Amino acid sequence: MKALGFRQANSWLHTWVGLLLAWLLYSIFLTGTLSFFQSEITLWMKPELHGSQPDANTPLRALQAMQRLAPNAEQWNIVLPGERDSVIEASWTEPGQKEGKSLTLDAATGEPLQARETRGGQFLYRFHFELFNIPYPFGRWIVCIATMFMFVAIVSGVIVHKKIFKEFFTFRPGKGQRSWLDAHNATSVLALPFHLMITYSGLLLFMYMLMPWGVESVYQGDVRQHIQELGLRSAPEAKPPVTATGVPLVDPAPLLQQAEQRWPRGIARITVSQPGTDKAWIEFHELGNAQLSESRHREPLRFDGVTGQPLPSPPRPDGGTSAAIYNLLTNLHLLRFASVELRWCFFLSGLLGAAMIATGLILWVSKRLPAQQGHTPFGSRLVQVLNVGAIAGLPIAIAAYFWANRLLPVAMAQRADWEIRSLFTAWALCLLHPLLRNHRRAWIEQLTLAALLYAGLPLFSFALPGSHLFATLAHGQWLVAGMDLTLWAFAALFGFTAWKLVKQPLATQTRPLRKVREAKEAPV
Amino acid sequence: MHMPWQNGETDKKKVISMSIPQPSWWERLREFAQNSRRLDIVARAVLAIFGSYGFAGLVTVSLSWALPMPPAQAVLITMMLSFALMCALAIWAFSAASAWRAWGVALLLAAIPAVHLLLKEILS
């Protein structure tokens, strides 16, 4: 067999390794990108929580509320409203019970809030790394294999390019296949460091599942021991035995003041261990303070729960440079400790990544248009149908998920499951629809539908008091307003694309090769 | 000189095939192994998917013991590098001039950690 050159062989590899799992990878990439804002999406999907307005007294109010709700708990965990949430999330464990309890509290009143049952943004997050309804651990293995394919596709893609910097600035619109190639190159190269990082760190997050042989050999399979030695996760702290109960908790106000003076950004979390006993302690964690190379927030403030005296926190083992690298990469992937600006940057990069996969798929189809034969071979038709159903279909399915969240009755049984069913039903319909329409029609119809669905969602919010744009903008509730505005931005994007497709003159769609046409016209 | 086709055979095709030397079975097998595109791709794919995983696993275990740092860190860093190794081997599987060469070099490289682990077993 004639040997191909290095770049040629990698071009072949890139096409096939890219194509085989492209639709799955697009779904993973898109839902993963949305997961960067999973807290905000969950908040948007619970309109009952939109009225909660945090203020300066929220931490004190939260502690007082816990005193009412769970005076005899073993541990209180209070997550205060911050940059990504406007309600108090309280959870606690009762002594002797394994399952913890949790409640959402209003930040202004401290009263429990009852939100509609929904999986929210967390469904998208879990889907993106373990898919849905696939028995453990097969979903994760499928996603990890796809991730490896993606990594090989990216590396082979880089090998294929001769002039990677020139391609940064090359975009020739309106030239059919060449334009799609330029779009594919541009979306890949513009965010290349992001794509490499997110793919490789995705593998790292599952490395104990994928490559456990080192731990098996050196630690005889004791993963927990390995993790603790590295300081990646702290060993659960042993609770000292209680000698006296009914001891009132120290007034937290001066402690809160100390913490707030020290940390201008505010307090993120409060943990109280064994409240109402003599062994109680209160710990505060700073909002946003953490180094990317760490796995936890640095230097929490801990006070004795009875006297209010400062206590030292338990020491953490040092994992060295390798643990720092692991933490850095995984924290980047999970976007832990990230500021709002960085979150948006990553969100846009993620959308570029999804666009990279989409343009690659469309490029593959455009290279094989049925110009010569007049009919489409089975493989090309399959890719065409899957393209529309996945690239336009998944956004439609997610819009259906959001619409189900708005339309399904609040008190409905198994509401969260029905929302998820709506998503998959819509997706299935989007995969069947292109079978019945020609390629161009299918694209236009699905993109138009997506535009309408996304445009309608913020408009429907006017039926929900306190959740619509006028209310949220007036109260500075940017977490909800931002979501509504982003939905409209997506609607505009889909609408614009559909409009461009409608406007595109039919002559430039199928591009018969000039030689073939001349050969047919020449006298034989 | 008596030629095979002078046995009175009149069928033209049979006469021609009798006069061209037929390849033996092992020559036919070698031709198939070296020239079949499908076999080539399958062989490379097997190497890229399963061979790379095996190779990365071997190197992970071998380096976890061999690296001169605290065992926790050695295990961690080899786990993290293993995926890059898998990718490199997958790229090699398809970039090599032939599937034979791809497999040959991969097996040679895999022999290093394999021998290291074997010696470790024997000497401990």
Side-chain angles (χ1 to χ4, degrees), chain A residues 186-499:
Chain A
T187 48
S188 320
V189 171
L190 265 173
L192 186 60
F194 171 82
H195 300 320
L196 282 168
M197 179 278 298
I198 208 95
T199 314
Y200 203 77
S201 56
L203 288 169
L204 290 184
L205 281 165
F206 280 119
M207 65 181 184
Y208 284 104
M209 180 184 83
L210 296 172
M211 198 64 67
W213 314 115
V215 176
E216 290 283 332
S217 175
V218 177
Y219 284 88
Q220 285 83 50
D222 192 354
V223 178
R224 204 163 293 174
Q225 171 69 15
H226 180 233
I227 292 181
Q228 274 171 25
E229 264 185 45
L230 288 169
L232 293 180
R233 203 152 293 161
S234 47
E237 219 179 302
K239 299 220 182 289
V242 166
T243 42
T245 54
V247 179
L249 202 62
V250 67
D251 178 22
L255 305 177
L256 285 166
Q257 229 181 8
Q258 266 187 52
E260 274 155 13
Q261 259 171 0
R262 202 154 142 178
W263 297 329
R265 269 182 291 203
I267 306 172
R269 229 173 60 208
I270 307 175
T271 311
V272 180
S273 172
Q274 297 175 304
T277 66
D278 61 332
K279 295 284 190 301
W281 49 255
I282 306 177
E283 192 171 70
F284 302 114
H285 290 261
E286 185 185 355
L287 184 67
N289 170 37
Q291 256 187 332
L292 273 182
S293 59
E294 300 276 323
S295 60
R296 284 174 295 259
H297 294 264
R298 281 193 296 177
E299 292 176 25
L301 273 180
R302 189 184 279 214
F303 298 97
D304 187 289
V306 182
T307 58
Q309 294 301 311
L311 289 175
S313 288
R316 295 173 203 168
D318 179 23
T321 320
S322 42
I325 297 173
Y326 175 79
N327 284 330
L328 176 71
L329 287 172
T330 50
N331 287 342
L332 279 175
H333 187 108
L334 298 170
L335 258 199
R336 296 178 74 195
F337 321 130
S339 64
V340 169
E341 301 85 28
L342 192 65
R343 201 165 288 275
W344 275 105
C345 272
F346 272 49
F347 182 71
L348 289 171
S349 303
L351 290 179
L352 278 177
M356 161 176 79
I357 301 175
T359 48
L361 279 170
I362 297 171
L363 175 66
W364 194 94
V365 166
S366 74
K367 274 194 182 182
R368 290 158 180 78
L369 284 174
Q372 295 96 325
Q373 293 127 356
H375 85 279
T376 328
F378 173 74
S380 297
R381 182 71 185 140
L382 177 68
V383 175
Q384 279 179 358
V385 169
L386 285 174
N387 277 7
V388 185
I391 299 173
L394 181 57
I396 293 177
I398 295 175
Y401 180 59
F402 292 151
W403 272 108
N405 172 263
R406 288 304 196 235
L407 294 175
L408 289 177
V410 176
M412 184 178 179
Q414 296 172 327
R415 201 175 176 281
D417 291 335
W418 277 106
E419 283 180 2
I420 295 170
R421 271 181 211 137
S422 314
L423 188 149
F424 285 113
T425 312
W427 205 358
L429 290 171
C430 287
L431 280 165
L432 291 172
H433 162 255
L435 284 169
L436 309 166
R437 313 290 281 150
N438 83 45
H439 194 49
R440 182 167 171 269
R441 284 264 127 229
W443 271 113
I444 294 173
E445 284 165 11
Q446 287 209 11
L447 287 169
T448 315
L449 179 62
L452 291 171
L453 287 174
Y454 278 99
L457 278 166
L459 291 175
F460 184 84
S461 295
F462 281 95
L464 299 161
S467 298
H468 54 87
L469 261 178
F470 294 159
T472 50
L473 285 174
H475 292 131
Q477 179 58 295
W478 278 104
L479 292 171
V480 181
M483 173 88 174
D484 279 336
L485 293 172
T486 311
L487 289 171
W488 266 345
F490 276 116
L493 179 67
F494 291 126
F496 176 70
T497 315
W499 181 75

Side-chain angles (χ1 to χ4, degrees), chain B residues 103-116:
Chain B
W103 269 102
V105 172
L107 286 170
L108 269 173
L109 287 174
I112 304 171
V115 164
H116 167 235

Side-chain angles (χ1 to χ4, degrees), chain A residues 122-200:
Chain A
Q122 225 226 358
F123 165 73
L124 297 169
Y125 170 59
R126 292 210 84 102
F127 177 85
H128 120 266
F129 70 81
E130 61 183 15
L131 305 177
F132 183 71
N133 228 10
I134 300 180
Y136 177 88
F138 297 107
R140 298 171 180 214
W141 267 104
I142 294 172
V143 171
C144 286
I145 292 172
T147 314
M148 196 63 207
F149 270 62
M150 172 116 191
F151 191 63
V152 174
I154 296 180
V155 172
S156 57
V158 170
I159 292 174
V160 168
H161 289 300
K162 259 196 297 197
K163 301 171 189 160
I164 204 163
F165 283 115
K166 186 168 172 224
E167 273 157 4
F168 216 84
F169 304 105
T170 308
F171 185 64
R172 296 161 285 194
K175 286 204 164 78
Q177 182 194 314
R178 203 171 297 161
S179 307
W180 285 115
L181 177 64
D182 289 340
H184 183 64
N185 292 342
T187 48
S188 320
V189 171
L190 265 173
L192 186 60
F194 171 82
H195 300 320
L196 282 168
M197 179 278 298
I198 208 95
T199 314
Y200 203 77

